[in-house]
């Protein structure tokens, strides 16, 4: 009896425990319904309410409602009790016509305060044109597989644009159409997207079925995969077929029926293989007239730049920050070139990215920080930074240009580039004993040494002077040669090219062992481009496959080795965004890269 009284008190006080900020009033209905079919419009409230008000619903007939149901729940956890009230208001609606219609928000009062629900959009589909559709084969005689029509289940590969420019992104959607919801027997096999860089759109883990009218029939549909593709070459590129094995549950006809068959139906799972049709994409080459600052960016972008300070001292770092935002192949664009004065020590830029892939494409930003250290005082100018891209909307190249920066460098403390400071003070210690240079003579405890034992004038005495002098001359010539070589920045970069490449390839090897595919290919690309930049003494921003081939040819590199380098670069760019890549492919590419750099070192010797 006490338990019943306690439960009754919990039910009475359930609504009182809800705070005003915790009240949730939510509307729900199907996204799509078929003309002539009824559907439920439901409002859910987590408190006791009154005076539910709906706005006019001119596009639907209200057949019934509101019907109200109340449920209570209580929990007792760690000595603390919690209770929850759920009130549901249900309407039965019938659409008046086909189309897409809005249901305005409703309102309700809870403890004197008004609360408003969300609005809804309901799409009313036309009925099936074929009235004798088998609906998945129920009630048909014969085998279960034969009762499934060829148009009952299929997968469409929908391409947003079949006529694009090179590096222009477009969306590919794989959608399953089913007469009734079904399941997969095996993971779907999507095409490999050869010739494209692929960026997959993140979809919810729980696939949601919806209804769609297609070719005169209403289907249950679900999106299986969405991918943004960027073609890497011009011409006709074909997206191959995908393969999907689905399990369809249909009712099995019974020759002999009993009274229990009305309560218990017999079902059978039938496997059906669905194959998408291949699609050919016409990829147009980018038009002529590319600006000097164009490095392959296609889409729509904006650029901003800033400098950390325009007044610094010698040996203090100055940073130029460039931020590129927009939609397009932003992951593939190269860093804009920032030209610092010759007397500055320049460091590798720091790059931060923030990308998001949606059905509209890859959107985000790329922030590049360039750091340099001035070694001499004076007034310098950093030229305006330019970035060009191809705008697919206007079919034209556009160039974004920042402002030039004037930099004033002052002399720092105890730094390079400062004029030597001459001291004008005399040394007081040198006059400390003036007038006392004649000392008294010692007359006791005198000891004498044989002339044969005197070090002064001996061979060792002269050797102590001669050997350091010879070593000084030798080191002087060696050091002068090193200074001369170090002053030649191009020669220094050329000598260190192999060391830098080996260091980056070690990092790539670790990423390969950790099976981090995209990071591995990125690091291999950095090693190759960095090696070529150092070896050929060309800034990375100015590097391209065309001028790399031309420069290597000047140095007498074999055409086979040049092609090997180009193949490795193409493989890395393709493989970074490929849907899957085996570990043995990464091993093979790693060995090819090490071998190619070794051959290049033996060919180009400076």
């Amino acid at each position: 009896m006490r338990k019943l009284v306690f439960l009754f008190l919990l039910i009475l006080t359930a609504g009182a425990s809800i705070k005003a900020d915790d009240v949730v009033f939510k509307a729900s209905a199907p996204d799509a319904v078929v003309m002539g079919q009824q559907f439920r419009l439901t409002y859910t409230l987590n408190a006791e309410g009154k005076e539910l008000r709906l706005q006019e619903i001119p596009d639907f007939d209200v057949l019934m409602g509101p019907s109200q149901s109340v449920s209570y729940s209580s929990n007792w956890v760690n000595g603390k009790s919690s209770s929850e009230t759920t009130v549901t208001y249900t309407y039965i609606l019938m659409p008046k016509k086909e189309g897409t219609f809005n249901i305005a928000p409703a309102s309700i009062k809870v403890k004197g305060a008004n609360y408003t629900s969300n609005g809804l959009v309901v799409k009313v589909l036309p009925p099936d044109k074929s009235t004798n559709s088998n609906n998945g084969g129920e009630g048909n005689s014969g085998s279960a597989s034969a009762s499934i029509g060829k148009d009952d289940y299929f997968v469409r590969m929908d391409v947003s644009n079949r006529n694009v420019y090179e590096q222009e992104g477009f969306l590919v959607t794989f959608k399953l159409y089913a007469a009734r919801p079904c399941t997969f027997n095996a993971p779907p096999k999507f095409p490999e997207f050869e010739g494209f860089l692929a960026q997959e759109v993140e979809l919810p883990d729980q696939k949601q079925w919806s209804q769609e009218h297609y070719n005169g029939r209403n289907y249950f549909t679900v999106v299986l995969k969405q991918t943004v593709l960027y073609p890497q070459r011009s011409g006709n590129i074909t997206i191959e077929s995908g393969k999907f094995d689905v399990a369809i549950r249909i009712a099995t006809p019974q020759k002999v029926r009993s009274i229990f068959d009305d309560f218990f139906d017999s079902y059978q799972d039938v496997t059906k293989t669905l194959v998408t049709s291949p699609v050919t994409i016409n990829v147009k080459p980018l038009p002529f007239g590319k600006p000097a600052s164009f490095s392959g960016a296609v889409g729509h972008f904006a650029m901003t730049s800033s400098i950390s300070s325009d007044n610094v001292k010698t040996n203090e770092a100055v940073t130029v920050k460039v931020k590129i935002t927009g939609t397009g192949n932003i992951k593939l664009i190269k860093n804009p070139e920032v030209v610092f004065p010759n007397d500055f020590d320049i460091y590798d830029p720091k790059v931060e990215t923030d990308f998001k892939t949606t059905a509209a494409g890859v959107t985000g930003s790329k922030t590049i920080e360039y750091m340099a250290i001035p070694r001499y005082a004076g007034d310098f100018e950093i030229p305006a930074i330019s970035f060009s891209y191809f705008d697919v909307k206007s079919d034209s190249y556009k160039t974004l240009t920042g402002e030039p920066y004037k930099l004033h460098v002052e002399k720092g403390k105890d730094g390079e580039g400062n004029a030597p400071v001459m001291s004008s003070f005399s040394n007081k210690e040198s006059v400390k004993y003036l007038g006392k240079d004649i000392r008294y003579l010692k007359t006791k405890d005198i000891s004498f040494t044989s002339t044969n034992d005197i070090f002064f004038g001996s061979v060792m005495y002269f050797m102590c002077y001669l050997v350091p002098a010879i070593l000084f001359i030798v080191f002087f010539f060696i050091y002068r040669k090193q200074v001369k070589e170090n002053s030649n920045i191009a020669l220094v970069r050329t000598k260190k090219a192999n060391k830098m490449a080996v260091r980056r390839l070690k990092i790539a090897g670790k990423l390969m062992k950790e099976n981090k595919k995209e990071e591995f290919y990125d690091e291999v690309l950095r090693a190759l481009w960095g090696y070529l930049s150092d070896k050929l003494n060309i800034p990375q921003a100015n590097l391209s496959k065309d001028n790399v081939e031309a420069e290597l040819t000047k140095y007498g590199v074999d055409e086979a080795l040049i092609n090997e380098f180009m193949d490795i670069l193409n493989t890395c760019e393709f493989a970074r965004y490929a849907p899957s890549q085996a570990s043995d492919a990464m091993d093979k590419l790693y060995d090819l890269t090490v071998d190619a750099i070794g051959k290049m070192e033996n060919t180009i010797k400076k």
Side-chain angles (χ1 to χ4, degrees), residues 62-127:
V62 180
L63 304 182
M64 188 186 73
S67 61
Q68 179 178 341
S69 62
V70 183
S71 63
Y72 302 98
S73 63
S74 60
N75 295 314
W76 190 279
V77 179
N78 295 331
K80 295 182 179 180
S81 63
S82 61
S83 58
E84 183 177 351
T85 302
T86 304
V87 183
T88 304
Y89 304 90
T90 304
Y91 292 84
I92 304 297
L93 304 183
M94 172 77 79
K96 294 181 180 180
K97 54 185 177 180
E98 302 170 6
T100 302
F101 308 103
N102 295 323
I103 298 178
S107 63
I108 197 170
K109 282 187 176 182
V110 177
K111 296 181 180 180
N114 286 322
Y115 294 90
T116 305
S117 72
N118 56 296
L120 298 172
V121 177
V122 178
K123 186 175 183 180
V124 180
L125 307 176

Side-chain angles (χ1 to χ4, degrees), residues 67 86 174 210 283 301 308 371 394 412 486 494 496 594:
S67 61
T86 304
F174 294 87
S210 60
V283 183
F301 302 97
S308 59
M371 189 182 74
S394 61
N486 291 337
T494 301
K496 293 184 177 180
V594 174

Side-chain angles (χ1 to χ4, degrees), residues 303-475:
M303 183 187 73
T304 59
S305 63
S306 61
I307 190 169
S308 59
S309 177
D310 57 3
N311 193 340
V312 297
K313 296 181 179 180
T314 55
N315 300 322
E316 289 183 356
V318 60
T319 302
V320 175
K321 181 183 292 186
V322 178
K323 185 175 184 180
I324 300 173
T325 58
T327 301
N329 61 342
I330 190 170
K331 280 192 173 183
L332 305 179
I333 61 178
K334 295 183 180 179
N335 300 335
E337 182 182 7
V338 178
V339 181
F340 288 98
N342 293 330
D343 295 330
F344 284 41
D345 288 346
I346 305 171
Y347 296 86
D348 290 337
K350 175 185 177 184
V351 180
E352 293 182 357
T353 57
D354 182 16
F355 303 133
K356 183 178 181 181
T357 304
T358 64
V362 178
T363 304
S365 63
K366 184 175 184 179
T367 304
I368 311 106
E369 291 187 15
Y370 304 84
M371 189 182 74
I373 297 178
R375 295 304 185 188
Y376 299 96
D379 291 319
F380 304 92
E381 181 177 350
I382 301 174
I385 305 166
S386 297
F387 170 74
S388 298
Y389 67 94
F390 181 75
D391 188 357
V392 294
K393 293 183 179 178
S394 61
D395 290 346
S396 63
Y397 293 98
K398 293 186 177 181
T399 300
L400 307 175
T401 305
E403 56 179 324
Y405 297 108
K406 294 187 180 298
L407 185 63
H408 177 70
V409 181
E410 299 177 353
K411 296 177 182 178
K413 295 181 179 179
D414 300 328
E416 270 186 57
N418 301 329
V421 178
M422 302 300 294
S423 176
S424 60
F425 292 95
S426 60
N427 189 354
K428 294 183 179 180
E429 291 294 323
S430 62
V431 296
K432 185 175 181 180
Y433 292 106
L434 286 178
K436 296 183 180 180
D437 55 333
I438 300 176
R439 301 298 184 102
Y440 65 91
L441 299 177
K442 292 186 76 173
T443 58
K444 295 181 179 180
D445 300 325
I446 298 174
S447 60
F448 297 93
T449 305
S450 173
T451 55
N452 295 330
D453 297 332
I454 296 177
F455 178 72
F456 179 79
S458 64
V459 176
M460 288 300 298
Y461 173 80
F462 289 107
M463 289 296 294
C464 289
Y465 284 96
L466 185 61
V467 172
I470 295 174
L471 292 177
F472 174 78
I473 295 172
V474 172
F475 283 125

